[in-house]
Amino acid sequence: MKHILLLPALLIGSALAGGASAQSTDMMVPQTNVNTPTEMTGQPTAQNTGTASPLPFNVPSKLPSSGTDNLKTSVDALQNTLTELQALQLQVKQAHWNVSGTLFYTLHELLQEHYEGISKYADTTAERILSVGASSDGRAITIVASSRLPEIPAGFIDDAQVIQFFVYQYETIGQRIRSRVSDVEKVDPTTANTLQEVEYAIEQYQWQMRAFLQNTPKDPNTGFDINNNRPVPLRGK
């Protein structure tokens, strides 16, 4: 019985000693409260809004300012880019399915990569529209009515024709996006950066298509070998 009584006493004594030790090192431990959020100047928080969450409200971006022409310019630039990217997605997938010729497999695989990249940038563009406080319009009727891009031919499409088509299509869209970057870069630099990222990818895709017909010191590479012994016509070649 004596041994049983001694055990609680030892435990209590140990706990008291630990408490004293902790008190002696209080000056060395920073005093923090993990349940108290850091004050966020200018941002609504749980403390000043009565909400349950300490996080700031999900509010639209402050640049560009809501209700101004600047906001309309940004939304228009983003929406037009989104519509073109969605139209381009459909055209790239159509070519991916129907390309034919010597370069079938190479283009089939490359176009799938382009399709996935364009899909990603379309999503980024749409979400930037939502960030500035507007809704994105990805409806089929909007794509058909507003993309203003040449349509890809129906049916099987020759490899040389695929290359020529997308060299021009990527060039057209890239030029349009560069113009929009200039329109918004001062009033909405975040949107300008988003569009520059998209334009960079489109330029890369254009180069990958153009490289099939790139001249080298040992080969003029006119594309005659994939175009029934006729050069593939491209501007600047």
Side-chain angles (χ1 to χ4, degrees):
M1 179 65 72
K2 290 181 180 180
H3 292 299
I4 295 173
L5 292 174
L6 282 172
L7 182 59
L10 288 171
L11 291 173
I12 292 170
S14 200
L16 290 172
S21 175
Q23 287 179 353
S24 68
T25 58
D26 268 353
M27 298 301 292
M28 301 171 60
V29 179
Q31 298 298 313
T32 61
N33 183 347
V34 296
N35 295 317
T36 303
T38 303
E39 182 62 29
M40 301 176 69
T41 307
Q43 299 256 14
T45 65
Q47 283 64 45
N48 58 30
T49 61
T51 62
S53 171
L55 299 175
F57 277 136
N58 183 6
V59 296
S61 167
K62 297 304 182 185
L63 279 176
S65 301
S66 179
T68 67
D69 289 340
N70 292 343
L71 178 61
K72 183 179 185 305
T73 300
S74 286
V75 172
D76 286 348
L78 290 162
Q79 180 60 57
N80 289 334
T81 299
L82 172 61
T83 300
E84 290 164 0
L85 291 176
Q86 289 184 293
L88 194 56
Q89 279 180 270
L90 297 174
Q91 294 177 341
V92 167
K93 183 57 79 171
Q94 176 74 8
H96 166 78
W97 289 326
N98 291 293
V99 61
S100 184
T102 305
L103 296 177
F104 155 74
Y105 189 76
T106 302
L107 285 170
H108 180 76
E109 292 293 294
L110 181 62
L111 288 164
Q112 179 61 27
E113 291 180 17
H114 287 191
Y115 175 82
E116 292 171 3
I118 293 165
S119 299
K120 180 187 78 170
Y121 287 112
D123 194 58
T124 298
T125 303
E127 290 181 353
R128 178 58 189 165
I129 298 174
L130 298 170
S131 296
V132 300
S135 62
S136 301
D137 189 350
R139 298 173 299 163
I141 190 172
T142 303
I143 299 170
V144 172
S146 307
S147 67
R148 300 179 295 111
L149 290 173
E151 189 51 85
I152 193 168
F156 292 113
I157 181 169
D158 185 68
D159 48 7
Q161 191 177 10
V162 167
I163 293 168
Q164 183 188 46
F165 180 84
F166 284 107
V167 165
Y168 290 148
Q169 204 76 315
Y170 290 146
E171 180 184 35
T172 298
I173 294 175
Q175 288 173 347
R176 291 180 183 179
I177 296 174
R178 279 195 296 277
S179 176
R180 292 169 194 148
V181 170
S182 299
D183 291 340
V184 303
E185 60 185 347
K186 290 185 179 179
V187 298
D188 188 1
T190 303
T191 289
N193 288 340
T194 300
L195 293 175
Q196 282 180 322
E197 184 180 358
V198 176
E199 194 267 337
Y200 170 80
I202 295 299
E203 273 199 357
Q204 185 182 47
Y205 299 159
Q206 202 255 10
W207 154 66
Q208 289 172 346
M209 285 293 174
R210 199 175 66 242
F212 284 105
L213 305 176
Q214 181 66 49
N215 294 337
T216 68
K218 294 185 178 181
D219 188 348
N221 204 10
T222 63
F224 75 94
D225 51 333
I226 59 170
N227 194 38
N228 199 22
N229 294 319
R230 294 191 304 270
V232 177
L234 287 179
R235 287 191 294 268
K237 282 183 66 72

